[in-house]
Amino acid sequence: MLRVHFSDADLARTRLCTASDPLWDIATSLHRLQTRQGRWAHAEWYRTTRRRLQEKGLERAVRSMLIPVYRRAAYFPDFLTPYQATTEGLDAGLEAILATPARRIRAEVARLHRIVGAPAWTARLAERAAREELVRLLRAYHDVAVAPYEDQVRARVEAERAARARELMDGGVEGLLAGLGPSMRWERPVLYADYHPSVDRDLYLDGRGMLFVPAYFLLQRPISFADPGLPPVLVYPLDHEPQAPPLSRAPLTALLGRARAAALYAVAHGATTGEIARAVGVSASSASRHATALRDAGLITSRRHGAAVLHTLTPVGAALLRAARAQKSERSTPHSDGL
């Protein structure tokens, strides 16, 4: 169990990450490769990624170099998921790995060896040349296992942010914390988070606040830095539902029309059925039918939010809107026949 202790200052500084963290995506997707538990939620990703790793000749390197340091266990080194990746992206995160002081790396690798075991070669990660090799492999793995799924990841994170934003508006930060379950429970002033069974710890934020990072590939339990001196980050799992059936021609045909197009635009940043009705100018029952057609076509997903139902875009729906906006922009841009 992890107990996170909040003061009033911490509540004021609590925030939700604006996007998925690429290095945590690498870490948690490597965890997915190490277990059959919950595989149904990423079945297509698992099959496709295993095949792509084989085709790119990366499977052996992933098994011998990445999995031993990104263990799905009570501990893996904090320097592998630097805070810079959360705030600045993949390139900044990889640069932070390269810039990690050798003394810190030796300490964290020793801790890894002590808690779960590690191959002897991991001691060389204190050398920059070994970290450069690791960073090249991390980038190659990201290109194969994470980058092809960025639309799905982005859509799920945006849906999560939309749901959490409503809880924030309805109940403040404590409302947001109370809605983070089922792996977390808020009892002021402590957030109780299910954690690795062998870990029982308290994390005192001391006025620093907490950054919550929703993770597409993570299942069951949140993860935080082992070092309490690092910026407080809690990576937590998204709820996964069975995938929608493939798109069929009939639902797509039903989408053709001004009202449903307007409904899809209304869902762009998350909308309840009532908000769709107001945006489109139709009754609540008509808005519900439009939402059902969009959901059947695989363009939106719906989840209950209190007494209402919150609708958000799927990756297909988001791509459709982006294409429509791009076409509109092209039509409105003057064309020139020459220089």
Side-chain angles (χ1 to χ4, degrees), residues 15 50 57 160 185:
R15 59 212 188 279
R50 287 290 302 273
E160 173 70 7
R185 184 179 80 257

Side-chain angles (χ1 to χ4, degrees), residues 83-202:
Y83 189 73
Q84 289 88 335
T86 306
T87 55
E88 302 174 47
L90 178 63
D91 290 341
L94 295 177
E95 284 298 321
I97 291 177
L98 291 176
T100 307
R103 181 178 179 181
R104 174 183 168 189
I105 292 175
R106 283 193 290 267
E108 293 189 4
V109 168
R111 185 174 185 178
L112 175 68
H113 182 71
R114 186 171 62 253
I115 295 176
V116 296
W121 67 261
T122 55
R124 292 194 300 108
L125 289 173
E127 304 168 9
R128 184 177 175 90
R131 293 202 303 283
E132 288 175 348
E133 181 181 0
L134 176 67
V135 161
R136 285 193 293 270
L137 180 55
L138 287 173
R139 192 181 292 277
Y141 176 83
H142 183 274
D143 289 345
V144 169
V146 178
Y149 294 85
E150 285 180 346
D151 282 346
Q152 290 95 317
V153 173
R154 185 184 304 111
R156 289 292 290 111
V157 171
E158 289 177 354
E160 173 70 7
R161 282 175 55 81
R164 300 288 82 80
R166 288 172 180 273
E167 289 168 350
L168 179 66
M169 289 186 290
D170 293 343
V173 176
E174 293 194 61
L176 183 152
L177 295 174
L180 287 171
S183 58
M184 289 175 276
R185 184 179 80 257
W186 171 247
E187 294 181 8
R188 182 181 175 91
V190 179
L191 180 69
Y192 295 86
D194 292 340
Y195 217 67
H196 192 277
S198 67
V199 176
D200 186 77
R201 59 181 288 222
D202 290 271

Side-chain angles (χ1 to χ4, degrees), residues 3-18:
R3 293 171 293 275
V4 185
H5 298 260
F6 287 77
S7 66
D8 289 342
D10 295 314
L11 291 173
R13 293 184 174 92
T14 291
R15 59 212 188 279
L16 189 66
C17 195
T18 58

Side-chain angles (χ1 to χ4, degrees), residues 24-39 42 45-46 49-50 53 62-77 80 112 116-117 141 196 217 219-220 223:
W24 278 109
D25 285 340
I26 287 175
T28 53
S29 66
L30 285 166
H31 292 171
R32 296 270 57 75
L33 293 176
Q34 297 175 55
T35 179
R36 293 180 177 274
Q37 192 172 24
R39 188 170 292 175
H42 303 101
W45 172 87
Y46 180 84
T49 297
R50 287 290 302 273
L53 290 173
V62 168
R63 187 185 304 115
S64 62
M65 289 188 64
L66 294 188
I67 287 179
V69 291
Y70 287 90
R71 294 290 297 274
R72 185 177 182 268
Y75 175 78
F76 68 89
L80 295 172
L112 175 68
V116 296
Y141 176 83
H196 192 277
F217 295 104
L219 286 177
Q220 288 189 305
I223 308 176

